[in-house]
Amino acid sequence: VRFAHDAQSEIFGSSRARGSPQDGQSLLQLVVELLAGVKGPEDVPIFEVCRHAGAWFCRSGNRRLAALRLASRYAADGRFDRISVRVVPPDQIFFHGIPSKGKRPKLTTQLNGPMCEGRWMVIRETGECVGCGDGLGGMDEFGADLLALLPTRSRPAPSG
């Protein structure tokens, strides 16, 4: 699943109160809780994805996708390699936003340049990105300095 947003705040619920358990929590805090086993993937609310230009894009929940993507990158046991999502069709808001209400389109990855195509998303507070850990975008991966210090669980050995 690719990011639809070019950039996002690291704080959940920062644009408005939504009543989500993550409101006010930082993306990095959620990643640490997921990696430590305090929370599981099932504790992260399902988000919506839509198909566009032959790829799946996050329609809602770009921060949740970022947290799960980082958790998957740093968890050696594979518990974040697959996630449940809700599939929705792309709509006018995804492509054009609501200009009369000052709402930007959901799909803004083109602002990160033609190479991005939703592969990474910039975290506004730090200028670092999620999804660029393999050298994509030429930026540092958000939280990599802290997450690299955490102990990892190894993948179970294949049976049989």
Side-chain angles (χ1 to χ4, degrees), residues 100-117:
S100 64
K101 294 185 178 182
K103 300 275 187 183
R104 288 176 32 155
K106 298 280 186 180
L107 185 63
T108 58
T109 62
Q110 73 281 2
L111 298 175
N112 286 340
M115 296 290 293
C116 179
E117 296 180 337

Side-chain angles (χ1 to χ4, degrees), residues 3-11 14-15 18 27 58 61-63 66 104-113 116 118-130 139:
F3 298 104
H5 294 331
D6 61 298
Q8 185 80 60
S9 170
E10 72 174 293
I11 305 298
S14 60
S15 60
R18 296 184 186 143
L27 188 159
C58 192
N62 282 271
R63 265 185 295 260
R104 288 176 32 155
K106 298 280 186 180
L107 185 63
T108 58
T109 62
Q110 73 281 2
L111 298 175
N112 286 340
C116 179
R119 291 182 179 94
W120 67 83
M121 180 177 71
V122 176
I123 301 302
R124 288 190 184 117
E125 290 85 348
T126 65
E128 297 170 313
C129 71
V130 175
M139 294 179 280

Side-chain angles (χ1 to χ4, degrees), residues 17-145:
R18 296 184 186 143
S20 167
Q22 280 85 29
D23 280 350
Q25 180 183 42
S26 80
L27 188 159
L28 199 53
Q29 179 183 348
L30 177 57
V31 176
V32 170
E33 289 175 354
L34 287 166
L35 290 171
V38 174
K39 291 186 178 178
E42 67 281 357
D43 296 316
V44 179
I46 290 176
F47 52 89
E48 297 175 343
V49 299
C50 61
R51 192 105 171 123
H52 169 63
W56 291 102
F57 283 86
C58 192
R59 166 66 175 73
S60 67
N62 282 271
R63 265 185 295 260
R64 285 172 275 169
L65 174 60
L68 290 164
R69 176 110 33 112
L70 284 169
S72 177
R73 183 169 179 76
Y74 288 91
D77 59 8
R79 64 198 142 125
F80 305 106
D81 290 353
R82 297 179 59 97
I83 56 172
S84 295
V85 297
R86 183 175 19 265
V87 176
V88 298
D91 58 12
Q92 288 299 104
I93 294 171
F94 182 75
F95 293 114
H96 305 291
I98 308 173
S100 64
K101 294 185 178 182
K103 300 275 187 183
R104 288 176 32 155
K106 298 280 186 180
L107 185 63
T108 58
T109 62
Q110 73 281 2
L111 298 175
N112 286 340
M115 296 290 293
C116 179
E117 296 180 337
R119 291 182 179 94
W120 67 83
M121 180 177 71
V122 176
I123 301 302
R124 288 190 184 117
E125 290 85 348
T126 65
E128 297 170 313
C129 71
V130 175
C132 60
D134 295 323
L136 291 173
M139 294 179 280
D140 292 329
E141 181 102 57
F142 176 72
D145 48 352

